[in-house]
């Protein structure tokens, strides 16, 4: 059985993110897409628009000196424009190491991502790592 197109879109996004391929990522999202990052650290908040989102992604890579890794574990879809990804995130920054499970709830219209709501399993540890 073929994979649902929304799951394939999310997988393509994770692959592009892991390669640092911002051009491909930009092509997967609408121009007014928003990525919501939880927490109370300098990289948390709402990033609206392709420039704001890809700039934030670039900061993730630079803040971790390229050590950041995201391992996609699973993608689930509802067939009505929502997909949920589960992943394992690891990174080193400023003498700190982070290993955390997370997920992203994607909203998809047509064949483009319109919204990403990120969740982490340990928000206090995440805040400490990024602060």
């Amino acid at each position: 059985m073929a994979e649902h197109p929304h799951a394939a879109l999310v997988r393509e996004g994770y692959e592009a993110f892991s390669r640092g391929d911002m051009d491909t990522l930009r092509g997967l999202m609408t121009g007014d897409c928003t990525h919501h990052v939880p927490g109370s650290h300098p990289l948390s908040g709402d990033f609206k628009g392709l420039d704001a989102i890809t700039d934030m992604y670039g900061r993730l890579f630079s803040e971790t000196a390229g050590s950041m890794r995201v391992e996609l574990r699973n993608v689930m879809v509802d067939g009505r424009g929502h997909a949920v990804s589960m992943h394992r995130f690891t990174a080193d920054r400023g003498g700190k190491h982070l290993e955390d499970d997370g997920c992203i709830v994607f909203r998809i219209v047509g064949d483009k991502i319109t919204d990403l709501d990120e969740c982490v399993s340990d928000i206090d540890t995440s805040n400490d790592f990024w602060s």
Side-chain angles (χ1 to χ4, degrees):
M1 182 181 262
E3 183 173 50
H4 190 278
H6 293 164
L9 178 68
V10 169
R11 286 186 196 285
E12 183 180 358
Y14 269 84
E15 290 167 7
F17 181 85
S18 293
R19 291 189 312 269
D21 182 351
M22 296 302 136
D23 290 335
T24 295
L25 284 171
R26 292 172 76 87
L28 301 177
M29 295 182 267
T30 61
D32 63 348
C33 185
T34 303
H35 188 141
H36 308 275
V37 179
S40 58
H41 55 80
L43 289 172
S44 65
D46 299 325
F47 299 87
K48 186 166 181 67
L50 296 174
D51 291 339
I53 293 170
T54 55
D55 287 349
M56 183 266 292
Y57 292 167
R59 285 186 61 199
L60 294 173
F61 285 104
S62 66
E63 289 282 330
T64 62
S67 69
M68 179 182 66
R69 300 286 179 265
V70 180
E71 177 191 345
L72 181 61
R73 300 268 173 98
N74 202 357
V75 180
M76 293 183 273
V77 299
D78 69 356
R80 297 177 292 115
H82 299 93
V84 178
S85 65
M86 287 146 289
H87 60 257
R88 181 76 172 164
F89 179 91
T90 60
D92 295 297
R93 178 179 180 268
K96 298 176 188 175
H97 180 74
L98 178 65
E99 290 186 38
D100 197 16
D101 292 319
C103 71
I104 300 175
V105 178
F106 294 84
R107 286 172 190 78
I108 301 166
V109 175
D111 62 352
K112 299 276 186 177
I113 298 165
T114 65
D115 201 73
L116 301 90
D117 281 313
E118 188 174 335
C119 298
V120 296
S121 65
D122 189 337
I123 200 160
D124 293 330
T125 299
S126 180
N127 284 333
D128 178 64
F129 179 79
W130 293 110
S131 294

